[in-house]
Amino acid sequence: MEGEYLTVTVRLALAVLAGGIIGLERSYHGRPAGFRTHTLVCTASALLMLLLVFQQQILGDVPVETITVDPTRMAQGIMTGIGFLGAGVIMKEGLTIRGLTTAGSIWITAAIGIMIGTGLYFAAAMGTLIALGTLALFRWVESIMPALSFARLSIRFLRKAYMKEEDLKALLREHGIHASSFNYTLNHEGKMFQYELTIKTKDLKNFTRLAESLDAMDNVFEFALTPIGV
């Protein structure tokens, strides 16, 4: 019996440690699901998997040969529940979606808890290291990798003074920006002409320079430039 108590204590303590370490990284970067959430997820997963480890004590005198056990069913149930929790941290703010990485970290934290609960310590340790490496090291890799930045641009002109499409494309090229998917709209009873387009650049600062140029143009009635995914 003392051995069982020790097993439960050690596995739950390791689950708290693994979940807490991952959660600290999320809390440090100001994510809503941080230290406490990840700790609880990992510990709960380990706790539920202990049901399989100590099933004989739960069933008592029921003959072993009459029991059909499928450990993957418990894991599947846990991961299904975690899916709802992960969905709760994904938020859409305008054209930007946030929380996908935190949802992924919650998911892998649950998997680590399952490994600890079943006694697969090496797999749990490797999973924890991989999760931390992905969240911390890959953040640095992403910051130095060349990547395209996207934005949604809407420009409105007076109908009799609007900029031709080729002139607008030339202005964008001057700022190192390329355009795609032009949309055209006449509104305010045909008095206003509006472009809506998706633009992309290799340097996010080019959007700022473009906004300054548009602000200085007298024929631009109004504009909106919204970065996507930043």
mmCIF file of all heavy atoms in Angstrom, residues 94-143:
data_model
loop_
_atom_site.group_PDB
_atom_site.id
_atom_site.type_symbol
_atom_site.label_atom_id
_atom_site.label_comp_id
_atom_site.label_asym_id
_atom_site.label_seq_id
_atom_site.Cartn_x
_atom_site.Cartn_y
_atom_site.Cartn_z
ATOM 1 N N GLY A 94 -10.598 41.122 -35.027
ATOM 2 C CA GLY A 94 -10.576 41.707 -36.365
ATOM 3 C C GLY A 94 -10.207 40.643 -37.383
ATOM 4 O O GLY A 94 -10.868 39.619 -37.509
ATOM 5 N N LEU A 95 -9.101 40.880 -38.120
ATOM 6 C CA LEU A 95 -8.627 39.914 -39.102
ATOM 7 C C LEU A 95 -7.548 38.999 -38.536
ATOM 8 O O LEU A 95 -6.971 38.202 -39.262
ATOM 9 C CB LEU A 95 -8.080 40.661 -40.331
ATOM 10 C CG LEU A 95 -9.093 41.532 -41.082
ATOM 11 C CD1 LEU A 95 -8.403 42.294 -42.206
ATOM 12 C CD2 LEU A 95 -10.228 40.685 -41.640
ATOM 13 N N THR A 96 -7.280 39.110 -37.246
ATOM 14 C CA THR A 96 -6.218 38.342 -36.612
ATOM 15 C C THR A 96 -6.794 37.270 -35.701
ATOM 16 O O THR A 96 -7.752 37.512 -34.972
ATOM 17 C CB THR A 96 -5.302 39.269 -35.788
ATOM 18 O OG1 THR A 96 -4.737 40.254 -36.660
ATOM 19 C CG2 THR A 96 -4.172 38.486 -35.130
ATOM 20 N N ILE A 97 -6.202 36.085 -35.753
ATOM 21 C CA ILE A 97 -6.606 34.981 -34.878
ATOM 22 C C ILE A 97 -5.488 34.743 -33.869
ATOM 23 O O ILE A 97 -4.332 34.538 -34.246
ATOM 24 C CB ILE A 97 -6.878 33.705 -35.679
ATOM 25 C CG1 ILE A 97 -8.059 33.912 -36.629
ATOM 26 C CG2 ILE A 97 -7.165 32.531 -34.741
ATOM 27 C CD1 ILE A 97 -8.357 32.730 -37.513
ATOM 28 N N ARG A 98 -5.821 34.778 -32.587
ATOM 29 C CA ARG A 98 -4.842 34.586 -31.526
ATOM 30 C C ARG A 98 -5.189 33.351 -30.692
ATOM 31 O O ARG A 98 -6.342 32.957 -30.612
ATOM 32 C CB ARG A 98 -4.785 35.815 -30.616
ATOM 33 C CG ARG A 98 -4.396 37.101 -31.330
ATOM 34 C CD ARG A 98 -4.304 38.269 -30.362
ATOM 35 N NE ARG A 98 -3.973 39.512 -31.026
ATOM 36 C CZ ARG A 98 -2.733 39.890 -31.325
ATOM 37 N NH1 ARG A 98 -1.726 39.110 -30.989
ATOM 38 N NH2 ARG A 98 -2.503 41.039 -31.944
ATOM 39 N N GLY A 99 -4.185 32.781 -30.067
ATOM 40 C CA GLY A 99 -4.413 31.688 -29.133
ATOM 41 C C GLY A 99 -4.148 30.307 -29.686
ATOM 42 O O GLY A 99 -4.261 29.322 -28.952
ATOM 43 N N LEU A 100 -3.771 30.179 -30.956
ATOM 44 C CA LEU A 100 -3.552 28.857 -31.531
ATOM 45 C C LEU A 100 -2.371 28.144 -30.867
ATOM 46 O O LEU A 100 -2.435 26.944 -30.588
ATOM 47 C CB LEU A 100 -3.318 28.978 -33.046
ATOM 48 C CG LEU A 100 -4.529 29.417 -33.877
ATOM 49 C CD1 LEU A 100 -4.115 29.662 -35.319
ATOM 50 C CD2 LEU A 100 -5.631 28.375 -33.813
ATOM 51 N N THR A 101 -1.297 28.894 -30.612
ATOM 52 C CA THR A 101 -0.133 28.275 -29.966
ATOM 53 C C THR A 101 -0.458 27.851 -28.544
ATOM 54 O O THR A 101 -0.047 26.769 -28.090
ATOM 55 C CB THR A 101 1.054 29.257 -29.960
ATOM 56 O OG1 THR A 101 1.363 29.629 -31.311
ATOM 57 C CG2 THR A 101 2.282 28.609 -29.335
ATOM 58 N N THR A 102 -1.206 28.676 -27.808
ATOM 59 C CA THR A 102 -1.591 28.316 -26.445
ATOM 60 C C THR A 102 -2.494 27.075 -26.458
ATOM 61 O O THR A 102 -2.363 26.204 -25.596
ATOM 62 C CB THR A 102 -2.315 29.493 -25.769
ATOM 63 O OG1 THR A 102 -1.438 30.613 -25.717
ATOM 64 C CG2 THR A 102 -2.735 29.122 -24.348
ATOM 65 N N ALA A 103 -3.403 26.989 -27.418
ATOM 66 C CA ALA A 103 -4.256 25.804 -27.532
ATOM 67 C C ALA A 103 -3.404 24.562 -27.782
ATOM 68 O O ALA A 103 -3.644 23.496 -27.203
ATOM 69 C CB ALA A 103 -5.268 25.991 -28.656
ATOM 70 N N GLY A 104 -2.384 24.711 -28.629
ATOM 71 C CA GLY A 104 -1.486 23.587 -28.880
ATOM 72 C C GLY A 104 -0.696 23.195 -27.637
ATOM 73 O O GLY A 104 -0.477 21.998 -27.382
ATOM 74 N N SER A 105 -0.275 24.189 -26.856
ATOM 75 C CA SER A 105 0.482 23.883 -25.644
ATOM 76 C C SER A 105 -0.393 23.175 -24.609
ATOM 77 O O SER A 105 0.071 22.289 -23.885
ATOM 78 C CB SER A 105 1.079 25.163 -25.057
ATOM 79 O OG SER A 105 0.073 26.017 -24.529
ATOM 80 N N ILE A 106 -1.668 23.543 -24.541
ATOM 81 C CA ILE A 106 -2.592 22.852 -23.639
ATOM 82 C C ILE A 106 -2.755 21.398 -24.073
ATOM 83 O O ILE A 106 -2.773 20.473 -23.250
ATOM 84 C CB ILE A 106 -3.966 23.564 -23.620
ATOM 85 C CG1 ILE A 106 -3.845 24.918 -22.905
ATOM 86 C CG2 ILE A 106 -5.025 22.718 -22.932
ATOM 87 C CD1 ILE A 106 -5.110 25.751 -22.949
ATOM 88 N N TRP A 107 -2.840 21.187 -25.357
ATOM 89 C CA TRP A 107 -3.046 19.845 -25.887
ATOM 90 C C TRP A 107 -1.860 18.943 -25.565
ATOM 91 O O TRP A 107 -2.016 17.818 -25.096
ATOM 92 C CB TRP A 107 -3.272 19.943 -27.400
ATOM 93 C CG TRP A 107 -3.962 18.749 -27.982
ATOM 94 C CD1 TRP A 107 -5.229 18.328 -27.739
ATOM 95 C CD2 TRP A 107 -3.400 17.831 -28.916
ATOM 96 N NE1 TRP A 107 -5.499 17.201 -28.479
ATOM 97 C CE2 TRP A 107 -4.394 16.879 -29.219
ATOM 98 C CE3 TRP A 107 -2.163 17.732 -29.549
ATOM 99 C CZ2 TRP A 107 -4.186 15.827 -30.107
ATOM 100 C CZ3 TRP A 107 -1.956 16.684 -30.445
ATOM 101 C CH2 TRP A 107 -2.957 15.751 -30.708
ATOM 102 N N ILE A 108 -0.634 19.442 -25.806
ATOM 103 C CA ILE A 108 0.538 18.609 -25.535
ATOM 104 C C ILE A 108 0.752 18.444 -24.034
ATOM 105 O O ILE A 108 1.247 17.411 -23.576
ATOM 106 C CB ILE A 108 1.804 19.175 -26.213
ATOM 107 C CG1 ILE A 108 2.910 18.114 -26.198
ATOM 108 C CG2 ILE A 108 2.282 20.444 -25.529
ATOM 109 C CD1 ILE A 108 4.127 18.492 -27.016
ATOM 110 N N THR A 109 0.346 19.425 -23.234
ATOM 111 C CA THR A 109 0.446 19.291 -21.782
ATOM 112 C C THR A 109 -0.438 18.148 -21.294
ATOM 113 O O THR A 109 -0.054 17.380 -20.401
ATOM 114 C CB THR A 109 0.038 20.600 -21.091
ATOM 115 O OG1 THR A 109 0.908 21.650 -21.511
ATOM 116 C CG2 THR A 109 0.132 20.473 -19.573
ATOM 117 N N ALA A 110 -1.628 18.027 -21.875
ATOM 118 C CA ALA A 110 -2.509 16.911 -21.526
ATOM 119 C C ALA A 110 -1.862 15.582 -21.896
ATOM 120 O O ALA A 110 -1.926 14.605 -21.134
ATOM 121 C CB ALA A 110 -3.851 17.066 -22.225
ATOM 122 N N ALA A 111 -1.221 15.527 -23.055
ATOM 123 C CA ALA A 111 -0.554 14.303 -23.482
ATOM 124 C C ALA A 111 0.588 13.946 -22.534
ATOM 125 O O ALA A 111 0.797 12.765 -22.200
ATOM 126 C CB ALA A 111 -0.027 14.465 -24.909
ATOM 127 N N ILE A 112 1.326 14.958 -22.081
ATOM 128 C CA ILE A 112 2.418 14.714 -21.125
ATOM 129 C C ILE A 112 1.848 14.169 -19.821
ATOM 130 O O ILE A 112 2.407 13.246 -19.208
ATOM 131 C CB ILE A 112 3.202 16.017 -20.885
ATOM 132 C CG1 ILE A 112 3.962 16.417 -22.152
ATOM 133 C CG2 ILE A 112 4.172 15.864 -19.708
ATOM 134 C CD1 ILE A 112 4.553 17.808 -22.110
ATOM 135 N N GLY A 113 0.732 14.727 -19.379
ATOM 136 C CA GLY A 113 0.089 14.218 -18.170
ATOM 137 C C GLY A 113 -0.322 12.764 -18.307
ATOM 138 O O GLY A 113 -0.203 11.974 -17.361
ATOM 139 N N ILE A 114 -0.812 12.397 -19.472
ATOM 140 C CA ILE A 114 -1.190 10.996 -19.716
ATOM 141 C C ILE A 114 0.038 10.093 -19.616
ATOM 142 O O ILE A 114 -0.018 9.012 -19.015
ATOM 143 C CB ILE A 114 -1.850 10.864 -21.107
ATOM 144 C CG1 ILE A 114 -3.227 11.552 -21.097
ATOM 145 C CG2 ILE A 114 -1.990 9.399 -21.518
ATOM 146 C CD1 ILE A 114 -3.873 11.645 -22.450
ATOM 147 N N MET A 115 1.161 10.531 -20.191
ATOM 148 C CA MET A 115 2.388 9.734 -20.123
ATOM 149 C C MET A 115 2.855 9.548 -18.675
ATOM 150 O O MET A 115 3.260 8.464 -18.257
ATOM 151 C CB MET A 115 3.500 10.413 -20.937
ATOM 152 C CG MET A 115 3.251 10.487 -22.436
ATOM 153 S SD MET A 115 3.106 8.880 -23.249
ATOM 154 C CE MET A 115 1.311 8.759 -23.412
ATOM 155 N N ILE A 116 2.785 10.623 -17.909
ATOM 156 C CA ILE A 116 3.201 10.535 -16.506
ATOM 157 C C ILE A 116 2.262 9.628 -15.725
ATOM 158 O O ILE A 116 2.696 8.811 -14.911
ATOM 159 C CB ILE A 116 3.247 11.943 -15.875
ATOM 160 C CG1 ILE A 116 4.360 12.777 -16.512
ATOM 161 C CG2 ILE A 116 3.465 11.856 -14.362
ATOM 162 C CD1 ILE A 116 4.389 14.225 -16.057
ATOM 163 N N GLY A 117 0.976 9.760 -15.977
ATOM 164 C CA GLY A 117 0.004 8.939 -15.261
ATOM 165 C C GLY A 117 0.170 7.457 -15.500
ATOM 166 O O GLY A 117 -0.111 6.641 -14.611
ATOM 167 N N THR A 118 0.629 7.094 -16.681
ATOM 168 C CA THR A 118 0.836 5.677 -16.997
ATOM 169 C C THR A 118 2.263 5.215 -16.703
ATOM 170 O O THR A 118 2.593 4.048 -16.930
ATOM 171 C CB THR A 118 0.521 5.409 -18.474
ATOM 172 O OG1 THR A 118 1.270 6.306 -19.296
ATOM 173 C CG2 THR A 118 -0.960 5.609 -18.754
ATOM 174 N N GLY A 119 3.102 6.117 -16.217
ATOM 175 C CA GLY A 119 4.457 5.729 -15.826
ATOM 176 C C GLY A 119 5.492 5.802 -16.928
ATOM 177 O O GLY A 119 6.614 5.332 -16.754
ATOM 178 N N LEU A 120 5.167 6.400 -18.068
ATOM 179 C CA LEU A 120 6.128 6.535 -19.167
ATOM 180 C C LEU A 120 6.917 7.834 -18.969
ATOM 181 O O LEU A 120 6.726 8.820 -19.667
ATOM 182 C CB LEU A 120 5.400 6.520 -20.514
ATOM 183 C CG LEU A 120 4.603 5.249 -20.813
ATOM 184 C CD1 LEU A 120 3.827 5.399 -22.116
ATOM 185 C CD2 LEU A 120 5.542 4.048 -20.888
ATOM 186 N N TYR A 121 7.818 7.806 -18.007
ATOM 187 C CA TYR A 121 8.513 9.023 -17.584
ATOM 188 C C TYR A 121 9.433 9.584 -18.660
ATOM 189 O O TYR A 121 9.546 10.799 -18.819
ATOM 190 C CB TYR A 121 9.310 8.763 -16.307
ATOM 191 C CG TYR A 121 8.455 8.328 -15.144
ATOM 192 C CD1 TYR A 121 8.770 7.195 -14.410
ATOM 193 C CD2 TYR A 121 7.328 9.059 -14.779
ATOM 194 C CE1 TYR A 121 7.987 6.800 -13.336
ATOM 195 C CE2 TYR A 121 6.538 8.675 -13.717
ATOM 196 C CZ TYR A 121 6.876 7.528 -13.002
ATOM 197 O OH TYR A 121 6.083 7.141 -11.943
ATOM 198 N N PHE A 122 10.141 8.701 -19.367
ATOM 199 C CA PHE A 122 11.064 9.190 -20.396
ATOM 200 C C PHE A 122 10.296 9.911 -21.500
ATOM 201 O O PHE A 122 10.709 10.986 -21.952
ATOM 202 C CB PHE A 122 11.874 8.037 -20.985
ATOM 203 C CG PHE A 122 12.840 8.473 -22.050
ATOM 204 C CD1 PHE A 122 14.013 9.147 -21.713
ATOM 205 C CD2 PHE A 122 12.572 8.238 -23.397
ATOM 206 C CE1 PHE A 122 14.901 9.561 -22.689
ATOM 207 C CE2 PHE A 122 13.452 8.660 -24.376
ATOM 208 C CZ PHE A 122 14.624 9.316 -24.023
ATOM 209 N N ALA A 123 9.182 9.319 -21.920
ATOM 210 C CA ALA A 123 8.360 9.962 -22.955
ATOM 211 C C ALA A 123 7.827 11.301 -22.460
ATOM 212 O O ALA A 123 7.789 12.287 -23.211
ATOM 213 C CB ALA A 123 7.199 9.041 -23.351
ATOM 214 N N ALA A 124 7.436 11.363 -21.183
ATOM 215 C CA ALA A 124 6.931 12.611 -20.615
ATOM 216 C C ALA A 124 8.025 13.669 -20.559
ATOM 217 O O ALA A 124 7.788 14.849 -20.868
ATOM 218 C CB ALA A 124 6.371 12.359 -19.217
ATOM 219 N N ALA A 125 9.234 13.251 -20.159
ATOM 220 C CA ALA A 125 10.349 14.197 -20.093
ATOM 221 C C ALA A 125 10.698 14.727 -21.477
ATOM 222 O O ALA A 125 10.921 15.926 -21.656
ATOM 223 C CB ALA A 125 11.566 13.522 -19.462
ATOM 224 N N MET A 126 10.745 13.844 -22.468
ATOM 225 C CA MET A 126 11.036 14.266 -23.828
ATOM 226 C C MET A 126 9.943 15.203 -24.348
ATOM 227 O O MET A 126 10.226 16.205 -25.015
ATOM 228 C CB MET A 126 11.171 13.045 -24.736
ATOM 229 C CG MET A 126 12.421 12.206 -24.490
ATOM 230 S SD MET A 126 13.950 13.148 -24.744
ATOM 231 C CE MET A 126 13.828 13.522 -26.493
ATOM 232 N N GLY A 127 8.699 14.872 -24.049
ATOM 233 C CA GLY A 127 7.586 15.724 -24.473
ATOM 234 C C GLY A 127 7.670 17.115 -23.858
ATOM 235 O O GLY A 127 7.399 18.121 -24.526
ATOM 236 N N THR A 128 8.056 17.182 -22.580
ATOM 237 C CA THR A 128 8.199 18.480 -21.908
ATOM 238 C C THR A 128 9.312 19.306 -22.534
ATOM 239 O O THR A 128 9.154 20.503 -22.787
ATOM 240 C CB THR A 128 8.495 18.270 -20.408
ATOM 241 O OG1 THR A 128 7.443 17.498 -19.821
ATOM 242 C CG2 THR A 128 8.588 19.608 -19.692
ATOM 243 N N LEU A 129 10.438 18.666 -22.800
ATOM 244 C CA LEU A 129 11.556 19.373 -23.429
ATOM 245 C C LEU A 129 11.193 19.853 -24.830
ATOM 246 O O LEU A 129 11.539 20.977 -25.230
ATOM 247 C CB LEU A 129 12.787 18.461 -23.482
ATOM 248 C CG LEU A 129 13.446 18.127 -22.139
ATOM 249 C CD1 LEU A 129 14.580 17.124 -22.337
ATOM 250 C CD2 LEU A 129 13.964 19.392 -21.473
ATOM 251 N N ILE A 130 10.511 19.009 -25.570
ATOM 252 C CA ILE A 130 10.108 19.388 -26.931
ATOM 253 C C ILE A 130 9.121 20.551 -26.892
ATOM 254 O O ILE A 130 9.216 21.498 -27.688
ATOM 255 C CB ILE A 130 9.495 18.179 -27.664
ATOM 256 C CG1 ILE A 130 10.588 17.140 -27.959
ATOM 257 C CG2 ILE A 130 8.808 18.619 -28.966
ATOM 258 C CD1 ILE A 130 10.052 15.831 -28.480
ATOM 259 N N ALA A 131 8.177 20.495 -25.948
ATOM 260 C CA ALA A 131 7.194 21.579 -25.837
ATOM 261 C C ALA A 131 7.872 22.899 -25.496
ATOM 262 O O ALA A 131 7.596 23.937 -26.109
ATOM 263 C CB ALA A 131 6.147 21.228 -24.772
ATOM 264 N N LEU A 132 8.786 22.858 -24.519
ATOM 265 C CA LEU A 132 9.502 24.079 -24.137
ATOM 266 C C LEU A 132 10.383 24.586 -25.277
ATOM 267 O O LEU A 132 10.458 25.788 -25.531
ATOM 268 C CB LEU A 132 10.357 23.812 -22.897
ATOM 269 C CG LEU A 132 9.596 23.668 -21.579
ATOM 270 C CD1 LEU A 132 10.557 23.257 -20.469
ATOM 271 C CD2 LEU A 132 8.906 24.974 -21.216
ATOM 272 N N GLY A 133 11.053 23.661 -25.960
ATOM 273 C CA GLY A 133 11.897 24.058 -27.072
ATOM 274 C C GLY A 133 11.096 24.694 -28.190
ATOM 275 O O GLY A 133 11.511 25.694 -28.786
ATOM 276 N N THR A 134 9.926 24.130 -28.459
ATOM 277 C CA THR A 134 9.072 24.680 -29.512
ATOM 278 C C THR A 134 8.572 26.067 -29.149
ATOM 279 O O THR A 134 8.556 26.982 -29.978
ATOM 280 C CB THR A 134 7.877 23.747 -29.773
ATOM 281 O OG1 THR A 134 8.362 22.444 -30.141
ATOM 282 C CG2 THR A 134 6.991 24.286 -30.885
ATOM 283 N N LEU A 135 8.153 26.241 -27.893
ATOM 284 C CA LEU A 135 7.593 27.523 -27.467
ATOM 285 C C LEU A 135 8.660 28.610 -27.328
ATOM 286 O O LEU A 135 8.412 29.771 -27.654
ATOM 287 C CB LEU A 135 6.861 27.358 -26.131
ATOM 288 C CG LEU A 135 5.578 26.521 -26.167
ATOM 289 C CD1 LEU A 135 5.099 26.236 -24.748
ATOM 290 C CD2 LEU A 135 4.496 27.230 -26.961
ATOM 291 N N ALA A 136 9.835 28.239 -26.844
ATOM 292 C CA ALA A 136 10.875 29.234 -26.583
ATOM 293 C C ALA A 136 11.843 29.389 -27.755
ATOM 294 O O ALA A 136 12.014 30.483 -28.298
ATOM 295 C CB ALA A 136 11.635 28.855 -25.313
ATOM 296 N N LEU A 137 12.474 28.293 -28.154
ATOM 297 C CA LEU A 137 13.494 28.365 -29.207
ATOM 298 C C LEU A 137 12.881 28.722 -30.553
ATOM 299 O O LEU A 137 13.424 29.558 -31.288
ATOM 300 C CB LEU A 137 14.243 27.042 -29.304
ATOM 301 C CG LEU A 137 15.335 26.961 -30.377
ATOM 302 C CD1 LEU A 137 16.410 28.002 -30.099
ATOM 303 C CD2 LEU A 137 15.949 25.562 -30.407
ATOM 304 N N PHE A 138 11.762 28.100 -30.885
ATOM 305 C CA PHE A 138 11.150 28.365 -32.189
ATOM 306 C C PHE A 138 10.644 29.799 -32.289
ATOM 307 O O PHE A 138 10.526 30.339 -33.385
ATOM 308 C CB PHE A 138 10.013 27.376 -32.448
ATOM 309 C CG PHE A 138 10.487 26.007 -32.859
ATOM 310 C CD1 PHE A 138 11.761 25.574 -32.560
ATOM 311 C CD2 PHE A 138 9.640 25.143 -33.533
ATOM 312 C CE1 PHE A 138 12.202 24.310 -32.915
ATOM 313 C CE2 PHE A 138 10.063 23.880 -33.902
ATOM 314 C CZ PHE A 138 11.351 23.462 -33.596
ATOM 315 N N ARG A 139 10.321 30.419 -31.153
ATOM 316 C CA ARG A 139 9.935 31.838 -31.171
ATOM 317 C C ARG A 139 11.097 32.682 -31.705
ATOM 318 O O ARG A 139 10.891 33.604 -32.500
ATOM 319 C CB ARG A 139 9.564 32.292 -29.763
ATOM 320 C CG ARG A 139 9.152 33.754 -29.665
ATOM 321 C CD ARG A 139 8.969 34.152 -28.213
ATOM 322 N NE ARG A 139 7.909 33.398 -27.584
ATOM 323 C CZ ARG A 139 6.623 33.746 -27.618
ATOM 324 N NH1 ARG A 139 6.270 34.857 -28.245
ATOM 325 N NH2 ARG A 139 5.713 33.007 -27.022
ATOM 326 N N TRP A 140 12.306 32.347 -31.262
ATOM 327 C CA TRP A 140 13.495 33.060 -31.744
ATOM 328 C C TRP A 140 13.734 32.767 -33.219
ATOM 329 O O TRP A 140 14.068 33.670 -34.004
ATOM 330 C CB TRP A 140 14.712 32.652 -30.923
ATOM 331 C CG TRP A 140 16.001 33.221 -31.438
ATOM 332 C CD1 TRP A 140 16.458 34.498 -31.288
ATOM 333 C CD2 TRP A 140 16.979 32.538 -32.216
ATOM 334 N NE1 TRP A 140 17.667 34.648 -31.912
ATOM 335 C CE2 TRP A 140 18.015 33.462 -32.499
ATOM 336 C CE3 TRP A 140 17.094 31.231 -32.688
ATOM 337 C CZ2 TRP A 140 19.139 33.114 -33.235
ATOM 338 C CZ3 TRP A 140 18.211 30.887 -33.429
ATOM 339 C CH2 TRP A 140 19.220 31.819 -33.695
ATOM 340 N N VAL A 141 13.562 31.509 -33.630
ATOM 341 C CA VAL A 141 13.745 31.144 -35.037
ATOM 342 C C VAL A 141 12.769 31.914 -35.920
ATOM 343 O O VAL A 141 13.144 32.430 -36.980
ATOM 344 C CB VAL A 141 13.552 29.625 -35.231
ATOM 345 C CG1 VAL A 141 13.565 29.272 -36.717
ATOM 346 C CG2 VAL A 141 14.646 28.853 -34.499
ATOM 347 N N GLU A 142 11.510 32.014 -35.479
ATOM 348 C CA GLU A 142 10.506 32.756 -36.236
ATOM 349 C C GLU A 142 10.877 34.234 -36.371
ATOM 350 O O GLU A 142 10.604 34.860 -37.393
ATOM 351 C CB GLU A 142 9.140 32.639 -35.572
ATOM 352 C CG GLU A 142 8.453 31.305 -35.802
ATOM 353 C CD GLU A 142 7.070 31.261 -35.190
ATOM 354 O OE1 GLU A 142 6.811 32.027 -34.245
ATOM 355 O OE2 GLU A 142 6.250 30.449 -35.638
ATOM 356 N N SER A 143 11.500 34.773 -35.300
ATOM 357 C CA SER A 143 11.824 36.206 -35.315
ATOM 358 C C SER A 143 12.936 36.537 -36.300
ATOM 359 O O SER A 143 13.013 37.670 -36.782
ATOM 360 C CB SER A 143 12.225 36.660 -33.905
ATOM 361 O OG SER A 143 13.471 36.081 -33.519
#
